[in-house]
Amino acid sequence: MVDNLWSLIQTLRHTNPLILNMTNQVVMNTTANALLAVGASPIMAHEESEIQALTTQADSLVINIGTLDKLLVESMRLALQQAHSSHKPWVLDPVGVGASSYRTETVQSLLQFSPSVIRGNATEIRSLSADKAVLSKGVDSLHRSDEALNTAKMVSLKYAAVVAISGATDYIIDGERIVRIENGDPMMRLVTGLGCTATALIGAFIARSSTVFESTIAAVALLSVVGELVAKRAEGPASLQLLIHDKLYNITEQEFKDHLKIVVG
Ligand SMILES: Nc1ncnc2c1ncn2[C@@H]1O[C@H](COP(=O)(O)OP(=O)(O)O)[C@@H](O)[C@H]1O
Ligand SMILES: Cc1ncsc1CCOP(=O)(O)O
């Protein structure tokens, strides 16, 4: 498993897939830089009149509702109709779902286009369950990641999607299969958009890979190992952000394999 994950990281570095990001205004710059650092080619766009041309060119799509509005949602629908009919992989980040009924209704409508992967923090994943109201606090998590496991499994089976729950422990779920990653650093919570970065990296890893589950594990593992490695040297959240970008770019096989704490099953 660990060898395979490193090989996916290496492949991404050399294949330069084009990732179309329809994402929020907070993280556009940082996620574009993270994608470049791992070898992908990002484009951030949302205008309806160009979205079909860009979807045609892209190897995968990242759909993130962090700062949604009606025009953006219309463009997302157009792109996803096309991605769905041409079997293009795409990842959904339901940022802040549950915090407003508009977010919840939008996410439910986007889920109909069959995401390959859904990634969120525990509160966001719990909020995907239609049959229970979940206490929310904006874009932050109020729950431990293990508290979202039941919903994640249900959502994974219902939409035939891989689900990633982020937090102190990261989980990646594919129906009955489950992987746990115990890396990262608590300071990562103080950098806005690192969850969105995880989602964008998933978009890059699934772009040209036939194994969505392993690709999602590779993306989550890479970011959490990188965060853990550089947190020791960070003076605070701002330098942590910069150090993460550098380490995404130059992490070695030895560093990755020596630090990854992964449990399968
Ligand atoms: N308390 C923590 N301890 C260790 N790593 C963490 C912690 N919280 C978050 N992380 C790391 O930060 C990444 C982003 O997670 P998270 O902060 O939950 O996303 P979001 O921004 O969507 O809320 C995780 O995948 C994990 O690697
Ligand atoms: C603060 C904020 N507000 C709307 S989107 C956003 C960024 C959220 O990023 P993440 O979900 O990765 O913390």
Side-chain angles (χ1 to χ4, degrees):
M1 166 71 95
V2 181
D3 283 334
N4 281 349
L5 299 180
W6 180 252
S7 138
L8 289 170
I9 293 167
Q10 286 294 90
T11 305
L12 177 56
R13 280 178 172 171
H14 296 117
T15 47
N16 196 226
L18 179 63
I19 318 302
L20 172 56
N21 295 262
M22 304 180 77
T23 192
N24 72 69
Q25 295 167 26
V26 181
V27 304
M28 281 204 193
N29 179 276
T30 52
T31 52
N33 274 319
L35 286 167
L36 286 167
V38 297
S41 177
I43 177 165
M44 326 317 258
H46 51 263
E47 164 56 36
E48 189 177 326
S49 38
E50 66 168 359
I51 214 64
Q52 284 171 306
L54 296 176
T55 302
T56 304
Q57 289 167 50
D59 292 299
S60 69
L61 275 63
V62 175
I63 302 292
N64 177 312
I65 67 148
T67 51
L68 76 180
D69 59 55
K70 291 195 177 71
L71 285 178
L72 176 62
V73 173
E74 267 320 297
S75 291
M76 284 175 173
R77 284 208 184 93
L78 259 185
L80 291 180
Q81 268 159 10
Q82 195 179 334
H84 186 44
S85 58
S86 58
H87 306 288
K88 198 157 283 205
W90 70 279
V91 53
L92 174 66
D93 192 327
V95 180
V97 63
S100 73
S101 53
Y102 181 51
R103 279 174 197 259
T104 303
E105 284 154 20
T106 299
V107 164
Q108 291 300 333
S109 77
L110 298 180
L111 283 168
Q112 306 313 315
F113 296 106
S114 305
S116 319
V117 185
I118 305 160
R119 191 224 59 95
N121 63 40
T123 297
E124 290 161 349
I125 297 300
R126 280 171 67 100
S127 299
L128 297 178
S129 164
D131 53 80
K132 63 172 187 263
V134 176
L135 190 64
S136 287
K137 186 181 173 205
V139 302
D140 291 334
S141 187
L142 293 175
H143 301 90
R144 288 190 324 271
S145 43
D146 60 288
E147 294 178 285
L149 277 171
N150 285 343
T151 309
K153 189 173 159 189
M154 193 194 77
V155 167
S156 173
L157 290 167
K158 180 170 177 186
Y159 296 101
V162 171
V163 177
I165 315 166
S166 62
T169 300
D170 293 310
Y171 291 94
I172 301 96
I173 296 108
D174 185 16
E176 302 296 332
R177 295 191 289 173
I178 177 162
V179 159
R180 195 169 90 223
I181 295 170
E182 298 280 2
N183 292 101
D185 186 277
M187 206 201 296
M188 292 172 79
R189 294 195 58 176
L190 303 181
V191 179
T192 191
L194 277 186
C196 300
T197 297
T199 304
L201 295 182
I202 291 168
F205 276 89
I206 62 174
R208 293 200 191 149
S209 164
S210 53
T211 61
V212 175
F213 187 49
E214 283 212 332
S215 297
T216 305
I217 299 167
V220 172
L222 177 61
L223 182 63
S224 58
V225 169
V226 159
E228 179 176 313
L229 280 172
V230 298
K232 304 175 190 78
R233 286 188 283 129
E235 290 177 23
S239 52
L240 178 60
Q241 170 82 81
L242 291 178
L243 290 167
I244 284 175
H245 282 257
D246 286 344
K247 190 49 74 183
L248 282 172
Y249 173 71
N250 64 26
I251 188 169
T252 63
E253 179 173 7
Q254 188 85 39
E255 285 175 318
F256 181 73
K257 291 185 174 172
D258 283 356
H259 290 87
L260 179 62
K261 297 187 267 293
I262 187 168
V263 180
V264 181

